[in-house]
Amino acid sequence: MSIDTIDRSALLDEADATASKAAAALGGLQNADGHWVFELEADATIPAEYVLLRHYLGEPRDAEIERKIGVYLRRIQSPTHHGWGLFHGGAFDVSASVKAYFALKMIGDSIDAPHMVQARTAIHKAGGAAAANVFTRIQLALFGAGPWSAVPTLPVELILLPRWFPVHLSKMSYWARTVIVPLLVLAAKKPVARNPSGVLVDELYTTKRAKLVSKAAGTKQAWTTFFNGLDVVLKGVEPLWPKGTRQRAIDACVTFVTERLNGVDGLGAIYPAMANSVMMFDCLGYPEDHPARALRANRSRSCSWSRTTRLIASRASRPSGIPRSPRTRCWKWAARRPRRARRRGWRG
């Protein structure tokens, strides 16, 4: 069928009807306070990070869990590019591939196994481990498997900045806030994984310097140069930062995290935030049985960020008979009126 033979009017009517059904279904699934919650499925990075977290903490190995994760990671390894993507059948992603390779090696896969050789070759072709994204470089640095100098400086004092400052946590998504705040503490403390097996991934680095390129759309070279220069300055002055201010910032990060823990779904209801918070509490000396360190990974759910996506879709296709929920606007209000919101039980 050619495009000329398509009945455009019928096609639009069908699209409108489908959008109306989808919007109505989403409306029926919305919780009373205005948000949506669904079971979360993830790519290879989440099971890989779970394996690495257990070894970071030096916890007893769960051979059966590691065996199952190993089977899963090998099964979803791409038969074409031999690495791992960010979604089913997706293109090669160097960061996901580095984490999956690291986890498989930690589990016990030989680096000479065919699937490991193929993965390593693909990673080298993409620039090696040094070409991975910031979060992966932080993970490598926490294991002593990569230098902190390759990680952009994340001053923990960021959390103390006033709301009017151009860079402020309230200007980030909820997902980003819950992931970044514990990372600020880790970047300040620079702990080293217990890693009882002593597994590293030196073989993933190449002799060439990786060219780090932003994947953000419309990136301007002037801004890249500015932030690279700022990072040099921050790295130089970091040892001179007042200890009292640094401790106050760390305490603020801990408060940020603990007041958002509900004892059920973990920080942000997403695994990276939960894992980062566990490592943060560990490096600050919290005992293993402390309630704040409980990792609720089995209850990971997509919450605020998926809510926003669905809200946009619902608004874009909302039929006139389905009203826009006023409760969804409360989330934006909570960020702008934090004190009043907290009195009413909101945590953003």
Side-chain angles (χ1 to χ4, degrees):
M1 179 184 294
S2 68
I3 192 169
D4 295 330
T5 62
I6 295 176
D7 186 337
R8 295 179 182 274
S9 178
L11 185 63
L12 288 173
D13 289 342
E14 185 177 349
D16 285 341
T18 302
S20 297
K21 290 179 182 179
L26 286 173
L29 294 171
Q30 188 177 24
N31 284 269
D33 64 354
H35 74 282
W36 287 269
V37 180
F38 298 93
E39 293 294 336
L40 175 66
E41 295 183 3
D43 53 60
T45 62
I46 300 302
E49 287 176 8
Y50 179 73
V51 170
L52 296 175
L53 175 65
R54 294 288 300 265
H55 286 262
Y56 173 92
L57 297 171
E59 293 182 349
R61 299 184 69 161
D62 188 326
E64 181 60 14
I65 289 293
E66 289 193 352
R67 184 192 68 79
K68 290 180 178 180
I69 290 176
V71 169
Y72 173 72
L73 291 177
R74 293 182 211 103
R75 177 169 60 83
I76 65 173
Q77 184 177 6
S78 171
T80 53
H81 57 63
H82 306 301
W84 289 264
L86 295 178
F87 54 89
H88 179 72
F92 176 85
D93 184 85
V94 65
S95 301
S97 298
V98 167
K99 289 181 179 179
Y101 179 99
F102 198 174
L104 285 172
K105 185 177 180 181
M106 193 72 79
I107 288 171
D109 285 19
S110 170
I111 63 173
D112 296 321
H115 67 285
M116 296 290 276
V117 173
Q118 291 174 332
R120 187 165 62 251
T121 300
I123 292 170
H124 284 172
K125 186 177 179 180
N133 64 21
V134 172
F135 294 115
T136 305
R137 278 178 273 153
I138 290 174
Q139 182 116 58
L140 293 170
L142 289 170
F143 274 84
W148 279 103
S149 60
V151 177
T153 302
L154 301 170
V156 68
E157 291 78 9
L158 176 67
I159 199 169
L160 301 178
L161 294 175
R163 188 173 293 272
W164 53 261
F165 199 78
V167 180
H168 190 270
L169 290 172
S170 66
K171 296 178 175 66
M172 304 177 187
S173 68
Y174 181 71
W175 183 94
R177 291 198 296 273
T178 56
V179 170
I180 288 174
V181 169
L183 272 185
L184 295 176
V185 177
L186 293 172
K189 292 290 188 179
K190 295 180 175 57
V192 179
R194 292 178 180 84
N195 190 13
S197 300
V199 174
L200 298 176
V201 284
D202 294 345
E203 68 275 11
L204 293 186
Y205 289 90
T206 67
T207 56
K208 297 180 180 179
R209 182 177 180 179
K211 184 179 181 180
L212 301 177
V213 180
S214 174
K215 294 183 180 180
T219 303
K220 304 295 184 182
Q221 182 59 42
W223 282 113
T224 300
T225 302
F226 169 77
F227 282 111
N228 286 342
L230 179 62
D231 185 57
V232 173
V233 173
L234 289 174
K235 280 180 166 58
V237 302
E238 188 174 22
L240 307 176
W241 214 270
K243 293 182 179 180
T245 303
R246 172 136 297 193
Q247 187 58 51
R248 186 159 62 93
I250 291 174
D251 293 342
C253 289
V254 172
T255 299
F256 176 96
V257 171
T258 53
E259 70 179 7
R260 286 164 176 77
L261 298 175
N262 62 8
V264 179
D265 293 319
L267 180 62
I270 50 176
Y271 179 80
M274 287 186 275
N276 291 344
S277 66
V278 169
M279 290 188 287
M280 178 193 76
F281 287 123
D282 178 71
C283 81
L284 292 176
Y286 283 63
E288 291 183 17
D289 58 353
H290 194 283
R293 283 189 56 170
L295 180 62
R296 309 285 180 175
N298 62 322
R299 294 298 299 273
S300 290
R301 295 174 182 270
S302 58
C303 187
S304 299
W305 46 277
S306 60
R307 171 193 57 77
T308 303
T309 303
R310 289 172 176 83
L311 176 59
I312 292 172
S314 179
R315 285 184 176 181
S317 60
R318 186 181 66 255
S320 57
I322 299 178
R324 179 182 302 172
S325 171
R327 296 181 181 275
T328 55
R329 292 194 286 270
C330 292
W331 297 85
K332 192 171 184 179
W333 164 83
R336 293 181 176 179
R337 300 288 186 272
R339 292 182 181 178
R340 187 179 301 176
R342 287 173 182 174
R343 288 199 296 269
R344 298 186 184 183
W346 290 86
R347 290 292 184 268

